[in-house]
Amino acid sequence: MNDKRIEEMLQTSWTPQEPDGMRDRILRQTREELSRKKNRRPLFGVIGWKPALVGLAILTILVTGAFDSMYQSRISAMVDGSNPGMIPSAMCKVDLMNRKYELDRLLAMTDAGYGLLDDIEGNGTL
Amino acid sequence: MTDSDTKTAVTFGISALWSRSVPAEDVLEQLYDQYAHSLFRYALALTSCEDDAEDAVQEVFARLTRERKRLKSVESIKAYLYTSVRNAAYSILRSRRRRDDLEEAVVHEDRIRCQPGHGECEIQAMVLREAFLQIPLEQREVLVLKVFDGMTFAEIAETIGTSINTAASRYRYGIERLRRALEEDHNE
């Protein structure tokens, strides 16, 4: 028996049929799926989850950047205010010396000089 | 939808099916009428169960609906559909194995409605049918695609993801088994 003959016999001996209503079931499901896709409303103008995810990622990056910038500026402000380094200290010293010289100069211009203060402290009156 | 639209779709690939001028419902209906019978037969040969075969075909059409925009790169609708139904059928077979229902996967002829052969000796047809349903799955699917769907070995190889030589040898082994079964019955 040649191959062709076996093929012909097989074609006539095995002839399965689709179950009743299979066409309706499958086409109804596809129609429902299509109408579901058509009726899907965009959320905040965004259709689909991928663009929404991308938008969320961008927003997260921006917010993180803003917070980081704020944090860094706050930290640097705190460091500037509390730094006991040489430069602010030296500036303070120079300022104090200048003030002392100015005070001395002003007192030297008065008659009593330093004694005026002694009088005030000693007598309680001028 | 006109005949020319369908011919255009079939000739120029699946992307032509989703043009705005042709409603998707009509396209799917047309595809169903054209391919569902062959797809069901192929799925039935793989799963040996009508319900599972229908599920496989349903999954193919559901995927067509869900992912139709992604299908623009598909060149051949026929190859796509056969490969999809094969994947769906194997997925069903795997889940059936997971459910430890493998014993039920053994072909029960009463689960498959078949029409008796016309002009053939009914006993011989029955022997052939039994032998066909008991040959290994790999050989059976090649026989279905070759004998019932008239595919070439190149097309079969592309559909089932093997070489042409493998597809041809599976066909050869399958035919030999059928021949042996018929000869044994004849000698008895």
PDB file of all heavy atoms in Angstrom, chain A residues 29-60:
ATOM      1  N   GLN A  29     -16.941  36.162  21.749  1.00  0.00           N
ATOM      2  CA  GLN A  29     -15.868  36.579  22.655  1.00  0.00           C
ATOM      3  C   GLN A  29     -14.957  37.626  21.998  1.00  0.00           C
ATOM      4  O   GLN A  29     -14.562  38.603  22.642  1.00  0.00           O
ATOM      5  CB  GLN A  29     -15.036  35.368  23.064  1.00  0.00           C
ATOM      6  CG  GLN A  29     -14.172  35.647  24.274  1.00  0.00           C
ATOM      7  CD  GLN A  29     -12.951  34.763  24.339  1.00  0.00           C
ATOM      8  OE1 GLN A  29     -12.446  34.292  23.330  1.00  0.00           O
ATOM      9  NE2 GLN A  29     -12.476  34.542  25.534  1.00  0.00           N
ATOM     10  N   THR A  30     -14.670  37.419  20.722  1.00  0.00           N
ATOM     11  CA  THR A  30     -13.808  38.401  20.041  1.00  0.00           C
ATOM     12  C   THR A  30     -14.518  39.743  19.900  1.00  0.00           C
ATOM     13  O   THR A  30     -13.905  40.794  20.054  1.00  0.00           O
ATOM     14  CB  THR A  30     -13.369  37.899  18.650  1.00  0.00           C
ATOM     15  OG1 THR A  30     -14.515  37.575  17.892  1.00  0.00           O
ATOM     16  CG2 THR A  30     -12.473  36.705  18.737  1.00  0.00           C
ATOM     17  N   ARG A  31     -15.836  39.689  19.633  1.00  0.00           N
ATOM     18  CA  ARG A  31     -16.599  40.950  19.527  1.00  0.00           C
ATOM     19  C   ARG A  31     -16.612  41.687  20.867  1.00  0.00           C
ATOM     20  O   ARG A  31     -16.461  42.906  20.926  1.00  0.00           O
ATOM     21  CB  ARG A  31     -18.029  40.664  19.049  1.00  0.00           C
ATOM     22  CG  ARG A  31     -18.162  40.630  17.524  1.00  0.00           C
ATOM     23  CD  ARG A  31     -19.610  40.666  17.113  1.00  0.00           C
ATOM     24  NE  ARG A  31     -20.319  39.454  17.481  1.00  0.00           N
ATOM     25  CZ  ARG A  31     -20.417  38.382  16.689  1.00  0.00           C
ATOM     26  NH1 ARG A  31     -19.875  38.385  15.496  1.00  0.00           N
ATOM     27  NH2 ARG A  31     -21.073  37.314  17.078  1.00  0.00           N
ATOM     28  N   GLU A  32     -16.804  40.910  21.942  1.00  0.00           N
ATOM     29  CA  GLU A  32     -16.813  41.524  23.278  1.00  0.00           C
ATOM     30  C   GLU A  32     -15.462  42.167  23.592  1.00  0.00           C
ATOM     31  O   GLU A  32     -15.386  43.269  24.130  1.00  0.00           O
ATOM     32  CB  GLU A  32     -17.149  40.476  24.340  1.00  0.00           C
ATOM     33  CG  GLU A  32     -18.621  40.120  24.381  1.00  0.00           C
ATOM     34  CD  GLU A  32     -18.900  38.905  25.263  1.00  0.00           C
ATOM     35  OE1 GLU A  32     -17.959  38.374  25.880  1.00  0.00           O
ATOM     36  OE2 GLU A  32     -20.059  38.479  25.296  1.00  0.00           O
ATOM     37  N   GLU A  33     -14.428  41.467  23.221  1.00  0.00           N
ATOM     38  CA  GLU A  33     -13.076  41.987  23.470  1.00  0.00           C
ATOM     39  C   GLU A  33     -12.840  43.271  22.676  1.00  0.00           C
ATOM     40  O   GLU A  33     -12.281  44.246  23.193  1.00  0.00           O
ATOM     41  CB  GLU A  33     -12.050  40.921  23.075  1.00  0.00           C
ATOM     42  CG  GLU A  33     -10.600  41.318  23.292  1.00  0.00           C
ATOM     43  CD  GLU A  33     -10.197  41.427  24.757  1.00  0.00           C
ATOM     44  OE1 GLU A  33     -10.833  40.778  25.607  1.00  0.00           O
ATOM     45  OE2 GLU A  33      -9.270  42.192  25.041  1.00  0.00           O
ATOM     46  N   LEU A  34     -13.305  43.271  21.446  1.00  0.00           N
ATOM     47  CA  LEU A  34     -13.145  44.461  20.607  1.00  0.00           C
ATOM     48  C   LEU A  34     -13.913  45.652  21.173  1.00  0.00           C
ATOM     49  O   LEU A  34     -13.394  46.772  21.225  1.00  0.00           O
ATOM     50  CB  LEU A  34     -13.620  44.169  19.185  1.00  0.00           C
ATOM     51  CG  LEU A  34     -12.658  43.382  18.292  1.00  0.00           C
ATOM     52  CD1 LEU A  34     -13.350  42.983  17.002  1.00  0.00           C
ATOM     53  CD2 LEU A  34     -11.423  44.205  17.970  1.00  0.00           C
ATOM     54  N   SER A  35     -15.162  45.404  21.613  1.00  0.00           N
ATOM     55  CA  SER A  35     -15.953  46.515  22.144  1.00  0.00           C
ATOM     56  C   SER A  35     -15.379  47.003  23.465  1.00  0.00           C
ATOM     57  O   SER A  35     -15.427  48.191  23.776  1.00  0.00           O
ATOM     58  CB  SER A  35     -17.416  46.107  22.308  1.00  0.00           C
ATOM     59  OG  SER A  35     -17.522  45.095  23.260  1.00  0.00           O
ATOM     60  N   ARG A  36     -14.797  46.083  24.246  1.00  0.00           N
ATOM     61  CA  ARG A  36     -14.132  46.499  25.498  1.00  0.00           C
ATOM     62  C   ARG A  36     -12.962  47.428  25.195  1.00  0.00           C
ATOM     63  O   ARG A  36     -12.751  48.422  25.870  1.00  0.00           O
ATOM     64  CB  ARG A  36     -13.611  45.265  26.242  1.00  0.00           C
ATOM     65  CG  ARG A  36     -14.406  44.938  27.499  1.00  0.00           C
ATOM     66  CD  ARG A  36     -13.629  44.077  28.457  1.00  0.00           C
ATOM     67  NE  ARG A  36     -13.027  42.903  27.852  1.00  0.00           N
ATOM     68  CZ  ARG A  36     -13.649  41.751  27.664  1.00  0.00           C
ATOM     69  NH1 ARG A  36     -14.907  41.614  28.006  1.00  0.00           N
ATOM     70  NH2 ARG A  36     -13.022  40.730  27.133  1.00  0.00           N
ATOM     71  N   LYS A  37     -12.216  47.086  24.163  1.00  0.00           N
ATOM     72  CA  LYS A  37     -11.068  47.921  23.810  1.00  0.00           C
ATOM     73  C   LYS A  37     -11.516  49.291  23.315  1.00  0.00           C
ATOM     74  O   LYS A  37     -10.887  50.304  23.588  1.00  0.00           O
ATOM     75  CB  LYS A  37     -10.235  47.230  22.728  1.00  0.00           C
ATOM     76  CG  LYS A  37      -9.451  46.051  23.250  1.00  0.00           C
ATOM     77  CD  LYS A  37      -8.517  45.512  22.223  1.00  0.00           C
ATOM     78  CE  LYS A  37      -7.141  46.115  22.433  1.00  0.00           C
ATOM     79  NZ  LYS A  37      -6.096  45.483  21.627  1.00  0.00           N
ATOM     80  N   LYS A  38     -12.632  49.288  22.568  1.00  0.00           N
ATOM     81  CA  LYS A  38     -13.136  50.567  22.039  1.00  0.00           C
ATOM     82  C   LYS A  38     -13.636  51.461  23.162  1.00  0.00           C
ATOM     83  O   LYS A  38     -13.470  52.679  23.135  1.00  0.00           O
ATOM     84  CB  LYS A  38     -14.277  50.300  21.053  1.00  0.00           C
ATOM     85  CG  LYS A  38     -13.803  50.015  19.639  1.00  0.00           C
ATOM     86  CD  LYS A  38     -15.001  49.790  18.736  1.00  0.00           C
ATOM     87  CE  LYS A  38     -14.560  49.201  17.413  1.00  0.00           C
ATOM     88  NZ  LYS A  38     -15.704  48.712  16.618  1.00  0.00           N
ATOM     89  N   ASN A  39     -14.286  50.839  24.159  1.00  0.00           N
ATOM     90  CA  ASN A  39     -14.903  51.625  25.229  1.00  0.00           C
ATOM     91  C   ASN A  39     -13.932  52.036  26.328  1.00  0.00           C
ATOM     92  O   ASN A  39     -14.320  52.720  27.258  1.00  0.00           O
ATOM     93  CB  ASN A  39     -16.052  50.828  25.871  1.00  0.00           C
ATOM     94  CG  ASN A  39     -17.181  50.630  24.884  1.00  0.00           C
ATOM     95  OD1 ASN A  39     -17.358  51.434  23.973  1.00  0.00           O
ATOM     96  ND2 ASN A  39     -17.921  49.548  25.035  1.00  0.00           N
ATOM     97  N   ARG A  40     -12.716  51.579  26.228  1.00  0.00           N
ATOM     98  CA  ARG A  40     -11.753  51.899  27.271  1.00  0.00           C
ATOM     99  C   ARG A  40     -11.416  53.393  27.221  1.00  0.00           C
ATOM    100  O   ARG A  40     -10.877  53.892  26.253  1.00  0.00           O
ATOM    101  CB  ARG A  40     -10.495  51.065  27.074  1.00  0.00           C
ATOM    102  CG  ARG A  40      -9.682  50.919  28.327  1.00  0.00           C
ATOM    103  CD  ARG A  40      -8.599  49.896  28.148  1.00  0.00           C
ATOM    104  NE  ARG A  40      -9.128  48.547  28.069  1.00  0.00           N
ATOM    105  CZ  ARG A  40      -8.486  47.524  27.541  1.00  0.00           C
ATOM    106  NH1 ARG A  40      -7.310  47.703  27.017  1.00  0.00           N
ATOM    107  NH2 ARG A  40      -9.037  46.335  27.508  1.00  0.00           N
ATOM    108  N   ARG A  41     -11.794  54.128  28.288  1.00  0.00           N
ATOM    109  CA  ARG A  41     -11.575  55.575  28.319  1.00  0.00           C
ATOM    110  C   ARG A  41     -10.164  55.873  28.817  1.00  0.00           C
ATOM    111  O   ARG A  41      -9.688  55.255  29.756  1.00  0.00           O
ATOM    112  CB  ARG A  41     -12.586  56.229  29.258  1.00  0.00           C
ATOM    113  CG  ARG A  41     -14.000  56.114  28.771  1.00  0.00           C
ATOM    114  CD  ARG A  41     -14.399  57.338  27.950  1.00  0.00           C
ATOM    115  NE  ARG A  41     -15.729  57.198  27.428  1.00  0.00           N
ATOM    116  CZ  ARG A  41     -16.028  56.821  26.196  1.00  0.00           C
ATOM    117  NH1 ARG A  41     -15.068  56.528  25.345  1.00  0.00           N
ATOM    118  NH2 ARG A  41     -17.269  56.731  25.786  1.00  0.00           N
ATOM    119  N   PRO A  42      -9.532  56.905  28.250  1.00  0.00           N
ATOM    120  CA  PRO A  42      -8.198  57.265  28.740  1.00  0.00           C
ATOM    121  C   PRO A  42      -8.285  57.937  30.105  1.00  0.00           C
ATOM    122  O   PRO A  42      -9.196  58.726  30.358  1.00  0.00           O
ATOM    123  CB  PRO A  42      -7.687  58.238  27.685  1.00  0.00           C
ATOM    124  CG  PRO A  42      -8.901  58.744  26.995  1.00  0.00           C
ATOM    125  CD  PRO A  42      -9.936  57.686  27.089  1.00  0.00           C
ATOM    126  N   LEU A  43      -7.338  57.616  30.970  1.00  0.00           N
ATOM    127  CA  LEU A  43      -7.290  58.197  32.314  1.00  0.00           C
ATOM    128  C   LEU A  43      -6.366  59.416  32.281  1.00  0.00           C
ATOM    129  O   LEU A  43      -5.194  59.293  31.964  1.00  0.00           O
ATOM    130  CB  LEU A  43      -6.772  57.152  33.299  1.00  0.00           C
ATOM    131  CG  LEU A  43      -6.745  57.543  34.765  1.00  0.00           C
ATOM    132  CD1 LEU A  43      -8.143  57.779  35.291  1.00  0.00           C
ATOM    133  CD2 LEU A  43      -6.039  56.476  35.577  1.00  0.00           C
ATOM    134  N   PHE A  44      -6.912  60.604  32.586  1.00  0.00           N
ATOM    135  CA  PHE A  44      -6.172  61.868  32.530  1.00  0.00           C
ATOM    136  C   PHE A  44      -5.495  62.041  31.177  1.00  0.00           C
ATOM    137  O   PHE A  44      -4.352  62.479  31.087  1.00  0.00           O
ATOM    138  CB  PHE A  44      -5.127  61.942  33.650  1.00  0.00           C
ATOM    139  CG  PHE A  44      -5.709  61.776  35.016  1.00  0.00           C
ATOM    140  CD1 PHE A  44      -5.330  60.730  35.831  1.00  0.00           C
ATOM    141  CD2 PHE A  44      -6.676  62.663  35.483  1.00  0.00           C
ATOM    142  CE1 PHE A  44      -5.877  60.565  37.084  1.00  0.00           C
ATOM    143  CE2 PHE A  44      -7.220  62.513  36.739  1.00  0.00           C
ATOM    144  CZ  PHE A  44      -6.826  61.461  37.533  1.00  0.00           C
ATOM    145  N   GLY A  45      -6.201  61.640  30.156  1.00  0.00           N
ATOM    146  CA  GLY A  45      -5.652  61.833  28.809  1.00  0.00           C
ATOM    147  C   GLY A  45      -4.568  60.849  28.436  1.00  0.00           C
ATOM    148  O   GLY A  45      -3.964  60.948  27.385  1.00  0.00           O
ATOM    149  N   VAL A  46      -4.287  59.882  29.317  1.00  0.00           N
ATOM    150  CA  VAL A  46      -3.235  58.911  29.026  1.00  0.00           C
ATOM    151  C   VAL A  46      -3.878  57.575  28.681  1.00  0.00           C
ATOM    152  O   VAL A  46      -4.671  57.056  29.445  1.00  0.00           O
ATOM    153  CB  VAL A  46      -2.301  58.727  30.241  1.00  0.00           C
ATOM    154  CG1 VAL A  46      -1.244  57.680  29.933  1.00  0.00           C
ATOM    155  CG2 VAL A  46      -1.669  60.045  30.593  1.00  0.00           C
ATOM    156  N   ILE A  47      -3.574  57.055  27.501  1.00  0.00           N
ATOM    157  CA  ILE A  47      -4.122  55.770  27.092  1.00  0.00           C
ATOM    158  C   ILE A  47      -3.047  54.718  27.301  1.00  0.00           C
ATOM    159  O   ILE A  47      -1.938  54.835  26.799  1.00  0.00           O
ATOM    160  CB  ILE A  47      -4.551  55.801  25.619  1.00  0.00           C
ATOM    161  CG1 ILE A  47      -5.568  56.916  25.397  1.00  0.00           C
ATOM    162  CG2 ILE A  47      -5.126  54.464  25.190  1.00  0.00           C
ATOM    163  CD1 ILE A  47      -5.830  57.227  23.952  1.00  0.00           C
ATOM    164  N   GLY A  48      -3.402  53.746  28.080  1.00  0.00           N
ATOM    165  CA  GLY A  48      -2.455  52.653  28.290  1.00  0.00           C
ATOM    166  C   GLY A  48      -1.560  52.903  29.488  1.00  0.00           C
ATOM    167  O   GLY A  48      -1.404  54.024  29.952  1.00  0.00           O
ATOM    168  N   TRP A  49      -0.983  51.850  29.997  1.00  0.00           N
ATOM    169  CA  TRP A  49      -0.191  51.954  31.222  1.00  0.00           C
ATOM    170  C   TRP A  49       1.241  52.361  30.959  1.00  0.00           C
ATOM    171  O   TRP A  49       1.903  52.901  31.830  1.00  0.00           O
ATOM    172  CB  TRP A  49      -0.235  50.634  31.980  1.00  0.00           C
ATOM    173  CG  TRP A  49       0.278  49.468  31.207  1.00  0.00           C
ATOM    174  CD1 TRP A  49      -0.432  48.663  30.359  1.00  0.00           C
ATOM    175  CD2 TRP A  49       1.614  48.975  31.176  1.00  0.00           C
ATOM    176  NE1 TRP A  49       0.375  47.731  29.807  1.00  0.00           N
ATOM    177  CE2 TRP A  49       1.646  47.882  30.299  1.00  0.00           C
ATOM    178  CE3 TRP A  49       2.801  49.338  31.818  1.00  0.00           C
ATOM    179  CZ2 TRP A  49       2.785  47.157  30.032  1.00  0.00           C
ATOM    180  CZ3 TRP A  49       3.948  48.616  31.555  1.00  0.00           C
ATOM    181  CH2 TRP A  49       3.930  47.538  30.679  1.00  0.00           C
ATOM    182  N   LYS A  50       1.717  52.160  29.750  1.00  0.00           N
ATOM    183  CA  LYS A  50       3.123  52.475  29.489  1.00  0.00           C
ATOM    184  C   LYS A  50       3.395  53.980  29.523  1.00  0.00           C
ATOM    185  O   LYS A  50       4.330  54.414  30.203  1.00  0.00           O
ATOM    186  CB  LYS A  50       3.549  51.882  28.148  1.00  0.00           C
ATOM    187  CG  LYS A  50       3.869  50.397  28.260  1.00  0.00           C
ATOM    188  CD  LYS A  50       4.367  49.854  26.951  1.00  0.00           C
ATOM    189  CE  LYS A  50       4.617  48.364  27.073  1.00  0.00           C
ATOM    190  NZ  LYS A  50       4.938  47.770  25.782  1.00  0.00           N
ATOM    191  N   PRO A  51       2.585  54.792  28.808  1.00  0.00           N
ATOM    192  CA  PRO A  51       2.816  56.242  28.908  1.00  0.00           C
ATOM    193  C   PRO A  51       2.642  56.742  30.337  1.00  0.00           C
ATOM    194  O   PRO A  51       3.384  57.634  30.783  1.00  0.00           O
ATOM    195  CB  PRO A  51       1.756  56.842  27.990  1.00  0.00           C
ATOM    196  CG  PRO A  51       1.359  55.754  27.082  1.00  0.00           C
ATOM    197  CD  PRO A  51       1.521  54.501  27.850  1.00  0.00           C
ATOM    198  N   ALA A  52       1.679  56.154  31.057  1.00  0.00           N
ATOM    199  CA  ALA A  52       1.469  56.576  32.443  1.00  0.00           C
ATOM    200  C   ALA A  52       2.692  56.270  33.289  1.00  0.00           C
ATOM    201  O   ALA A  52       3.109  57.069  34.133  1.00  0.00           O
ATOM    202  CB  ALA A  52       0.243  55.855  33.012  1.00  0.00           C
ATOM    203  N   LEU A  53       3.286  55.127  33.040  1.00  0.00           N
ATOM    204  CA  LEU A  53       4.477  54.723  33.788  1.00  0.00           C
ATOM    205  C   LEU A  53       5.650  55.649  33.485  1.00  0.00           C
ATOM    206  O   LEU A  53       6.395  56.052  34.390  1.00  0.00           O
ATOM    207  CB  LEU A  53       4.834  53.281  33.417  1.00  0.00           C
ATOM    208  CG  LEU A  53       5.684  52.502  34.411  1.00  0.00           C
ATOM    209  CD1 LEU A  53       4.948  52.342  35.730  1.00  0.00           C
ATOM    210  CD2 LEU A  53       6.028  51.145  33.845  1.00  0.00           C
ATOM    211  N   VAL A  54       5.790  56.002  32.216  1.00  0.00           N
ATOM    212  CA  VAL A  54       6.879  56.900  31.816  1.00  0.00           C
ATOM    213  C   VAL A  54       6.688  58.268  32.479  1.00  0.00           C
ATOM    214  O   VAL A  54       7.633  58.863  33.017  1.00  0.00           O
ATOM    215  CB  VAL A  54       6.922  57.038  30.272  1.00  0.00           C
ATOM    216  CG1 VAL A  54       7.878  58.149  29.863  1.00  0.00           C
ATOM    217  CG2 VAL A  54       7.351  55.727  29.639  1.00  0.00           C
ATOM    218  N   GLY A  55       5.428  58.763  32.469  1.00  0.00           N
ATOM    219  CA  GLY A  55       5.131  60.046  33.102  1.00  0.00           C
ATOM    220  C   GLY A  55       5.440  60.023  34.587  1.00  0.00           C
ATOM    221  O   GLY A  55       6.026  60.966  35.134  1.00  0.00           O
ATOM    222  N   LEU A  56       5.060  58.931  35.216  1.00  0.00           N
ATOM    223  CA  LEU A  56       5.320  58.784  36.658  1.00  0.00           C
ATOM    224  C   LEU A  56       6.814  58.776  36.937  1.00  0.00           C
ATOM    225  O   LEU A  56       7.281  59.390  37.917  1.00  0.00           O
ATOM    226  CB  LEU A  56       4.678  57.481  37.150  1.00  0.00           C
ATOM    227  CG  LEU A  56       4.543  57.315  38.655  1.00  0.00           C
ATOM    228  CD1 LEU A  56       3.587  58.345  39.209  1.00  0.00           C
ATOM    229  CD2 LEU A  56       4.060  55.911  38.987  1.00  0.00           C
ATOM    230  N   ALA A  57       7.563  58.106  36.075  1.00  0.00           N
ATOM    231  CA  ALA A  57       9.020  58.042  36.266  1.00  0.00           C
ATOM    232  C   ALA A  57       9.637  59.432  36.144  1.00  0.00           C
ATOM    233  O   ALA A  57      10.478  59.823  36.961  1.00  0.00           O
ATOM    234  CB  ALA A  57       9.629  57.096  35.233  1.00  0.00           C
ATOM    235  N   ILE A  58       9.192  60.193  35.149  1.00  0.00           N
ATOM    236  CA  ILE A  58       9.722  61.549  34.957  1.00  0.00           C
ATOM    237  C   ILE A  58       9.383  62.433  36.162  1.00  0.00           C
ATOM    238  O   ILE A  58      10.227  63.169  36.683  1.00  0.00           O
ATOM    239  CB  ILE A  58       9.177  62.165  33.655  1.00  0.00           C
ATOM    240  CG1 ILE A  58       9.761  61.420  32.454  1.00  0.00           C
ATOM    241  CG2 ILE A  58       9.496  63.654  33.561  1.00  0.00           C
ATOM    242  CD1 ILE A  58       9.116  61.766  31.137  1.00  0.00           C
ATOM    243  N   LEU A  59       8.134  62.330  36.624  1.00  0.00           N
ATOM    244  CA  LEU A  59       7.700  63.112  37.778  1.00  0.00           C
ATOM    245  C   LEU A  59       8.534  62.770  39.012  1.00  0.00           C
ATOM    246  O   LEU A  59       8.956  63.654  39.773  1.00  0.00           O
ATOM    247  CB  LEU A  59       6.218  62.841  38.037  1.00  0.00           C
ATOM    248  CG  LEU A  59       5.555  63.718  39.087  1.00  0.00           C
ATOM    249  CD1 LEU A  59       5.456  65.154  38.585  1.00  0.00           C
ATOM    250  CD2 LEU A  59       4.155  63.201  39.416  1.00  0.00           C
ATOM    251  N   THR A  60       8.795  61.475  39.199  1.00  0.00           N
ATOM    252  CA  THR A  60       9.596  61.036  40.344  1.00  0.00           C
ATOM    253  C   THR A  60      11.000  61.622  40.287  1.00  0.00           C
ATOM    254  O   THR A  60      11.542  62.093  41.295  1.00  0.00           O
ATOM    255  CB  THR A  60       9.670  59.492  40.362  1.00  0.00           C
ATOM    256  OG1 THR A  60       8.363  58.978  40.319  1.00  0.00           O
ATOM    257  CG2 THR A  60      10.378  58.990  41.603  1.00  0.00           C
TER     258      THR A  60
END
